[in-house]
Amino acid sequence: DIVMTQSPATLSVSPGERATLSCRASQNINDNLAWYQQKPGQGPRLLIFGSSTRATGIPARFSGSGSGTDFTLTINSLQSEDFATYFCHQYNDWPTFGPGTKVEIK
Amino acid sequence: QVTLKESGPALVRPTQTLTLTCTFSGFSLSTNEMRLNWIRQPPGKALEWLARIDWDGDKYYNSSLKTRLTISKDTSKNQVVLTMTDLDPVDTGTYFCARIPPYKSSSLAFDVWGPGTMVTVSS
């Protein structure tokens, strides 16, 4: 199985600032990576697929980059509704997920 | 509007069989390259993919759980059912169904998820 790791586990950010989240795969996954946002008691919401393509309805402040084994999700000018947990997911092989990064209010 | 909703028992005894139903609307599982998945999340832990069923009836399972899982679909009822046998307390968690639509780019990202259903395995 491809192991996904994420860093940091928790990120404290002030509203209006930028958040940078990292995701690493244990082997090459090309650009077959998605990012999701999850809030307590809800199912995940797709943000990014193909490493950098925003899903329908996702604001432009969310952007993804990377290829191979190292990926980044950037959230510019954090809004109150962006404080949540973010997961990465590789689908180059059978699906596996990272453990998540919790973005909390500083 | 595409929606998915999971249903099933909240409490299951160890060694019993769990049956979960995903009821969906806003699309047809008969559509070419439409796929539905089951994914679970133990409390405080990472998501784990369990199984997938495709528009053409093909089925795929997590290799570590394959002997315990069965996925099926009833296209006329817009439902996908997952059964898991021989439950153990480590199977406790929230179970989600999630869709993979026919992407132009052949992506396999899950574009819509249900709210999940919490299952506790305990005697």
Side-chain angles (χ1 to χ4, degrees):
Chain A
D1 288 2
I2 297 175
V3 177
M4 306 300 292
T5 56
Q6 291 185 244
S7 61
T10 304
L11 186 60
S12 298
V13 186
S14 299
E17 291 188 339
R18 174 185 297 172
T20 303
L21 289 66
S22 295
C23 174
R24 176 167 287 177
S26 61
Q27 62 191 72
N28 178 26
I29 60 168
N30 302 295
D31 64 352
N32 295 313
L33 185 101
W35 289 94
Y36 303 86
Q37 176 193 72
Q38 188 177 28
K39 297 180 179 179
Q42 298 182 16
R45 172 194 180 198
L46 177 64
L47 300 174
I48 301 283
F49 63 93
S51 176
S52 60
T53 303
R54 274 189 302 277
T56 303
I58 301 303
R61 64 180 182 273
F62 291 92
S63 63
S65 63
S67 185
T69 60
D70 291 308
F71 301 86
T72 301
L73 175 70
T74 302
I75 313 171
N76 286 310
S77 188
L78 268 159
Q79 306 296 301
S80 57
E81 62 267 29
D82 300 335
F83 292 97
T85 299
Y86 294 82
F87 295 95
C88 58
H89 152 223
Q90 69 77 23
Y91 49 87
N92 195 68
D93 196 356
W94 297 113
T96 53
F97 297 86
T101 291
K102 182 179 181 181
V103 177
E104 63 177 26
I105 301 174
K106 186 174 182 180
Chain B
Q1 181 188 8
V2 173
T3 64
L4 301 93
K5 186 167 185 179
E6 307 85 352
S7 59
L11 178 65
V12 181
R13 305 299 181 193
T15 75
Q16 286 189 335
T17 294
L18 172 67
T19 299
L20 296 172
T21 301
C22 175
T23 303
F24 56 89
S25 64
F27 66 97
S28 172
L29 192 47
S30 298
T31 299
N32 208 39
E33 296 188 26
M34 194 71 73
R35 301 169 168 98
L36 269 182
N37 300 259
W38 283 97
I39 297 156
R40 70 179 178 182
Q41 186 173 36
K45 294 188 177 181
L47 294 155
E48 179 181 35
W49 174 77
L50 300 175
R52 186 182 102 195
I53 190 163
D54 293 354
W55 78 100
D56 58 1
D58 283 352
K59 303 172 186 179
Y60 304 89
Y61 298 99
N62 183 313
S63 59
S64 64
L65 296 165
K66 185 174 184 177
T67 60
R68 300 172 53 206
L69 297 175
T70 303
I71 192 169
S72 62
K73 63 183 174 86
D74 186 331
T75 304
S76 64
K77 290 184 178 179
N78 281 354
Q79 290 182 333
V80 171
V81 174
L82 180 76
T83 61
M84 179 182 291
T85 61
D86 194 23
L87 270 283
D88 182 272
V90 300
D91 296 311
T92 293
T94 301
Y95 286 72
F96 298 97
C97 59
R99 185 184 81 153
I100 300 173
Y103 288 97
K104 292 180 186 176
S105 60
S106 302
S107 170
L108 293 174
F110 307 113
D111 76 327
V112 180
W113 297 60
T117 187
M118 178 66 193
V119 176
T120 300
V121 182
S122 175
S123 55

